[in-house]
Amino acid sequence: MATGTTASSPSMNWKVGDRPVHRMGYGAMHLTGPGMWGPPENPEAAKALLRTAVHELGVTFIDTADSYGPAFNEQIIREALHPYPDNLVICTKGGMLRSGPNDWGHGPGTKPYIVGLGRPAYLRQQVELSLRNLGLDCIDLYQLHRIDPMVPLADQLGELAVLREQGKIRHIGLSGQPGITVEQLDAASAITDIHAVESLYNIADRESDSMVDITRDRGIAFIPWFPLGHGDLVGPRGELANAAARLGVTSAQLCLAWLLRRSPNILLIPGTTSVEHLRQNVAAQDVRMSESEWDSIEAISEKIANWRPEPSGTEESVA
């Protein structure tokens, strides 16, 4: 493990509202079938991984969504961990449609199917289904998975606020495809308290830099999805992998450690189906490097190509 001199070690604790969490969390999305569709190919292995994360490695924050599976992801979490430890915070999301296992493709000639549905009645239904699938009476953090441009934001968040008043949601967050803008956060905060923002962000894709700082200053958790990028960032033949090898760590550990160092409000949700990779990811919290080493890693990462999903443009046909 790389060691070096840093001004201080990053704190590993944050609060989502009144719920303390360890900042090294777990993103459960890949514990489903191919294309995040259907049940996991090996349910027992999926449950074993979740138990290792929570009961052995100290993970207290798990990120999921009703669209992962759909529903199967929430169900496997319940099967693995219910009754839940008192310190476990589960974040789930609703308000984004699925059409099949290929709708989030990003290969040549494909365009991701990213369609929000924020009608209040639909959001209420999805919250009720998530409560049942997870085996919860109250969801600690519920995020609007995508802001629906065809429904007033006040109606979308207003319904979630009513569900919070009814004790079915504890805290509300926003998730963006690919990110939440400052204008969206300000508009949402004028409607209800927002305790988390989830956007695409990693060492090579830093378009949400300002949002990280804004949420930090407001005491809001920032949850980066694609924390390891997609493709070249942690690939085995890239420049970052070569630099990581020289430092005695993996490229994934570098990316995660950089995020932990970037800001104290960042909660990490790296996903994996491998217990070995899970252990490696959690060990990223122990990576320590000098300022000059971090500068070198950032310079390498700036040259790496990024992929960003964009809306499919079909919202008007379904909203």
Side-chain angles (χ1 to χ4, degrees), residues 175-223:
S175 179
Q177 304 290 324
I180 293 297
T181 67
V182 175
E183 292 75 16
Q184 288 171 329
L185 177 59
D186 287 344
S189 298
I191 298 167
T192 189
D193 291 336
I194 300 297
H195 285 98
V197 166
E198 187 167 337
S199 294
L200 193 163
Y201 186 71
N202 55 63
I203 192 173
D205 188 333
R206 300 180 60 175
E207 286 195 26
S208 290
D209 256 340
S210 61
M211 182 58 70
V212 173
D213 297 332
I214 290 168
T215 51
R216 177 200 62 210
D217 294 345
R218 298 184 187 182
I220 298 171
F222 183 90
I223 306 168

Side-chain angles (χ1 to χ4, degrees), residues 288-299:
R288 302 288 181 268
M289 299 195 307
S290 67
E291 292 294 331
S292 61
E293 287 170 329
W294 279 122
D295 289 343
S296 175
I297 294 304
E298 289 183 355

